[in-house]
Amino acid sequence: DAIRRVAHRYLRDPKEVKIKSATTTVSTIRQRFLQIAGPHKLDALTRILEVEDEFDAAIVFVRTKTATVELAEKLEARGYAAACLNGDMTQQLRERVIEQLKNKTLDIVVATDVAARGIDVPRVSHVINYDIPYDTEAYVHRIGRTGRAGRAGNAILFVAPREIRMLRTIERATRQPIAPLTLPSRADVTNKRVNDFKEKVAEVLNAEGLDFFANIVSQIAEEQNIGAEEVAAALAMMAQEGKPLQIGGEDPPPARQAPAF
């Protein structure tokens, strides 16, 4: 409206051209949003990546080239196979990142809108809008990186309290409601890690060659005058040193309820 007022004030007999909007999103993409403040975004992202069902690979969208590098480095530091993708990279480097995503060397690519155009990697199960896009067209292009060729996909949008209006604009443009997402708690993440740990132990229990290690456990129990369960507990603690089964810190404060417009 502001631009229209300026045009009618300063232009002589201006004409207005409208393009019919065909902006829709694929019905196979499950769309959700998380209302979260900026300082808590990284923790929220890592919790979601751990707890989400059917997670295979993700493209995480940010606004700037610098942010792609910073976020990719932070995810790598937390043990994720992540890399950045931005316009400052050569075509050869960009192609290498996409190839690594395809062959499962990478699981997460942090990208800008321009750098991610045209990416078609079937294993991308999630698109995460770490930074909300500036316009609805960008949102549609972003989430179109998942749910390809009739496959199911997931799109998650991080929304700061001051960005709620943009969320409602996206809903109107796509003609689809975006459901709220509850941030996984520390207990949720701990339970997921414990269940994954149990599954790995169960797989090893069905493997061959355990007799040698069972003998070592018996020797330790006898030498330390303790039970086999205590030895197993010590071994479990050693096994989780790289990624503790229990996460520390505090849960972010609950976000204010998104108002309806």
Side-chain angles (χ1 to χ4, degrees):
D1 289 338
I3 294 173
R4 185 179 291 108
R5 288 195 299 270
V6 171
H8 283 281
R9 180 176 179 182
Y10 293 104
L11 298 181
R12 187 174 300 168
D13 191 23
K15 304 298 181 184
E16 186 170 334
V17 179
K18 293 184 178 180
I19 301 174
K20 183 179 180 181
S21 176
T23 302
T24 55
T25 52
V26 181
S27 59
T28 55
I29 300 175
R30 182 187 181 194
Q31 300 178 67
R32 290 167 291 167
F33 78 91
L34 176 67
Q35 191 169 347
I36 189 84
H40 303 296
K41 276 187 177 182
L42 180 60
D43 283 336
L45 175 61
T46 54
R47 291 189 189 192
I48 288 171
L49 291 173
E50 283 207 50
V51 174
E52 275 291 288
D53 293 330
E54 301 178 1
F55 173 79
D56 191 4
I59 298 178
V60 180
F61 281 97
V62 294
R63 290 199 186 108
T64 66
K65 299 172 185 178
T66 302
T68 64
V69 177
E70 292 176 351
L71 183 56
E73 289 177 348
K74 290 175 181 177
L75 289 171
E76 278 190 296
R78 296 192 177 204
Y80 292 95
C84 65
L85 192 69
N86 60 57
D88 284 346
M89 300 167 62
T90 65
Q91 182 64 25
Q92 183 179 4
L93 282 176
R94 290 200 295 267
E95 290 176 356
R96 184 187 303 170
V97 169
I98 300 305
E99 188 58 34
Q100 289 175 326
L101 186 64
K102 289 180 178 178
N103 63 28
K104 300 187 178 183
T105 307
L106 286 175
D107 294 325
I108 303 170
V109 169
V110 185
T112 55
D113 291 323
V114 175
R117 289 291 175 96
I119 292 179
D120 186 4
V121 180
R123 67 180 290 250
V124 173
S125 58
H126 288 69
V127 165
I128 299 176
N129 292 276
Y130 193 83
D131 293 330
I132 197 168
Y134 289 118
D135 56 65
T136 57
E137 290 289 340
Y139 175 79
V140 172
H141 283 296
R142 285 181 178 190
I143 71 172
R145 300 309 101 205
T146 187
R148 311 284 283 183
R151 301 180 184 89
N154 293 273
I156 297 173
L157 176 65
F158 284 4
V159 182
R162 59 184 173 80
E163 296 169 335
I164 294 301
R165 286 185 180 276
M166 187 60 197
L167 167 67
R168 302 308 178 201
T169 301
I170 290 172
E171 288 182 317
R172 288 193 296 270
T174 59
R175 297 189 287 278
Q176 292 185 24
I178 302 178
L181 170 67
T182 301
L183 178 67
S185 66
R186 289 186 301 153
D188 293 332
V189 177
T190 296
N191 290 338
K192 181 65 164 56
R193 290 183 180 181
V194 170
N195 289 333
D196 291 345
F197 183 73
K198 288 179 179 178
E199 289 180 6
K200 291 179 181 178
V201 172
E203 290 175 4
V204 175
L205 287 173
N206 294 323
E208 297 180 357
L210 288 179
D211 292 343
F212 173 77
F213 297 98
N215 185 46
I216 293 177
V217 170
S218 297
Q219 290 178 27
I220 295 174
E222 184 177 347
E223 291 169 2
Q224 300 296 324
N225 193 27
I226 57 176
E229 286 188 0
E230 292 175 276
V231 178
L235 293 172
M237 181 177 289
M238 291 170 57
Q240 58 97 59
E241 281 183 356
K243 189 174 185 179
L245 296 179
Q246 292 179 297
I247 67 170
E250 299 292 334
D251 287 328
R256 293 183 291 113
Q257 184 67 29
F261 291 105

